[in-house]
Amino acid sequence: MRDLLIATLTILLLIGGWLTFIHYADSQSKNFQKEIEKKILPEITAGNWEEVESRLDRLNKGWHKFRKISLFFLDTHTINEIDFGLAKSIEYAHAQDVSNSTGELAAMVEQLSFLTENESLSLQNVF
């Protein structure tokens, strides 16, 4: 009976930790998406490149903090694609290239939406 109780508590701890991380990862990815869509993309179209570069720098720092944790739990390929897209966006913004920087950031928003969607508990992911 003791073994059953220990096994049950271990499974509940694992599932609880997973659900907590998925909630954290989902809120972080939504924050990154909101930052890009509401603050960075409008600044790019307005041509405020100094503001764009500072916002991208803050986004990059926040992303790398999140990336350190998420590499253990989420799809590494998607994380790397987001990382590459962010690096390209920073360089495009530095070159003041409107088309490429907005394109990379729009792709990054889509990748961020898939980041936790593929890991969430849903019928589509289970079956």
Side-chain angles (χ1 to χ4, degrees), residues 11 23 29 35 39 43 48 51 66 76 85 90 95 116 120 122:
I11 289 173
H23 177 71
S29 66
E35 175 76 17
K39 296 179 181 173
E43 293 292 336
N48 299 332
E51 183 66 23
F66 174 70
T76 306
I90 290 170
T116 56
S120 65
S122 66

Side-chain angles (χ1 to χ4, degrees), residues 1-124:
M1 186 67 180
R2 188 176 75 166
D3 292 339
L4 177 65
L5 182 62
I6 291 171
T8 303
L9 289 174
T10 304
I11 289 173
L12 288 175
L13 182 66
L14 287 172
I15 291 173
W18 175 71
L19 289 173
T20 301
F21 174 75
I22 287 297
H23 177 71
Y24 164 73
D26 189 50
S27 68
Q28 283 295 105
S29 66
K30 284 187 182 1
N31 287 341
F32 291 139
Q33 290 173 5
K34 192 165 108 178
E35 175 76 17
I36 292 168
E37 291 175 330
K38 304 284 186 207
K39 296 179 181 173
I40 298 174
L41 289 175
E43 293 292 336
I44 290 173
T45 55
N48 299 332
W49 293 105
E50 295 84 17
E51 183 66 23
V52 169
E53 287 187 33
S54 69
R55 286 189 186 274
L56 282 174
D57 185 50
R58 280 183 263 146
L59 181 72
N60 190 34
K61 288 177 183 172
W63 167 252
H64 281 286
K65 284 181 186 176
F66 174 70
R67 184 180 186 272
K68 287 178 188 176
I69 299 167
S70 63
L71 280 173
F72 294 109
F73 301 105
L74 299 175
D75 180 37
T76 306
H77 179 70
T78 306
I79 292 170
N80 289 338
E81 289 295 318
I82 294 169
D83 207 29
F84 295 147
L86 183 57
K88 289 180 197 177
S89 298
I90 290 170
E91 290 303 315
Y92 289 143
H94 184 68
Q96 298 183 357
D97 187 345
V98 175
S99 176
N100 284 325
S101 58
T102 55
E104 284 295 331
L105 287 170
M108 191 174 151
V109 167
E110 289 300 315
Q111 290 168 336
L112 282 165
S113 70
F114 294 134
L115 186 63
T116 56
E117 193 175 296
N118 293 335
E119 301 294 327
S120 65
L121 188 60
S122 66
L123 288 176
Q124 186 179 19

